[in-house]
Amino acid sequence: NDTLLVDLLTPALAAFLKQCPDIRLDVLLSNQSLNLSKRDADVAIRATDHPPETLVGRRAARIAWALYGRASDFTEAGTIEIGHLWEHRWVSLGEQFTGLKAVRYLAQHVAAERIVYKVNTVLGLAEAVEAGIGIGFLPCFIADTKPGLTRLAAPDPGFSADLWLLTHPDLRHSPRVRLFLDFIAVELGRMKPLIEGSLAMSPRGTVADAPPSDAT
């Protein structure tokens, strides 16, 4: 989707094309899974804990999510009691994203009237938090690069999802597909600390202070 493309993949794709100028890339963005068996695409880059058994590939990283707020709204030093935030204004992704663990958790634990803003893109969600509309859960690889945001809690492992590089078994030995997968795997490996949420400064609190999560 656009989140992975804008914040992670575009620099890696640019580096790949610089190294391999004879290769052309046709990038398709979709929140729906394309059918690699029907050759809708040669390679899929997906955030999922359950990649299709019909595809082969490798896990590049584990995408971390954490709770963020606008930095200017949380300027006091010291630990924030996460329990005090449940009455805060919240922002969330829409119902079409209930497959995401963080979205389900928010719907289960925050009163509906406190969720004042919903949007159907993760980039739009990050912009909403940065604008001060409310606090919300965001992927660390987006939020930790924005000076206007601050972590309010450590990444919750229960919200994480694997990032996979996948292709059809018939293409796994294609020289160009193999070259692309190997290159992108190395580039994402360099960004792994950012993707997995280990680059940010120590958070103010932990999600462990919140009501127990039953996200699965």
Side-chain angles (χ1 to χ4, degrees):
N1 56 34
D2 57 348
T3 305
L4 292 174
L5 180 67
V6 171
D7 288 272
L8 285 182
L9 295 177
T10 297
L13 297 178
F16 176 77
L17 289 173
K18 183 176 181 179
Q19 179 171 303
C20 306
D22 59 323
I23 294 180
R24 301 291 181 264
L25 298 179
D26 186 0
V27 179
L28 304 176
L29 294 180
S30 176
N31 287 322
Q32 304 298 320
S33 296
L34 297 177
N35 192 329
L36 270 65
S37 297
K38 295 182 178 179
R39 298 300 191 269
D40 289 342
D42 293 332
V43 172
I45 302 176
R46 296 180 185 171
T48 178
D49 287 332
H50 305 287
E53 295 182 358
T54 55
L55 303 180
V56 296
R58 70 188 80 176
R59 186 174 73 91
R62 189 151 179 84
I63 300 173
W65 287 64
L67 180 62
Y68 292 86
R70 183 169 63 175
S72 60
D73 292 338
F74 298 91
T75 57
E76 295 184 7
T79 299
I80 291 177
E81 292 292 337
I82 301 301
H84 294 167
L85 294 176
W86 298 114
E87 296 304 316
H88 206 282
R89 291 161 60 91
W90 289 75
V91 299
S92 176
L93 293 169
E95 283 75 13
Q96 64 268 49
F97 288 91
T98 53
L100 294 175
K101 303 165 191 176
V103 175
R104 295 201 305 271
Y105 179 82
L106 194 62
Q108 293 165 2
H109 294 291
V110 176
E113 62 270 18
R114 305 310 306 166
I115 303 175
V116 300
Y117 185 88
K118 292 184 178 181
V119 65
N120 68 346
T121 74
V122 178
L123 293 178
L125 186 67
E127 291 294 319
V129 176
E130 195 168 19
I133 295 176
I135 61 176
F137 292 107
L138 293 167
C140 295
F141 72 81
I142 295 176
D144 287 342
T145 63
K146 293 182 175 293
L149 297 179
T150 186
R151 273 195 202 175
L152 303 179
D156 187 329
F159 299 159
S160 299
D162 288 336
L163 180 62
W164 284 88
L165 305 177
L166 301 166
T167 189
H168 190 274
D170 292 347
L171 296 175
R172 66 189 306 176
H173 298 302
S174 164
R176 291 195 173 197
V177 169
R178 175 54 54 193
L179 178 64
F180 178 80
L181 289 174
D182 289 346
F183 186 94
I184 297 301
V186 170
E187 292 299 306
L188 291 177
R190 292 181 181 140
M191 293 183 279
K192 197 170 183 178
L194 176 64
I195 298 170
E196 299 191 342
S198 61
L199 282 185
M201 297 177 63
S202 297
R204 301 168 184 267
T206 67
V207 173
D209 298 321
S213 170
D214 54 5
T216 57

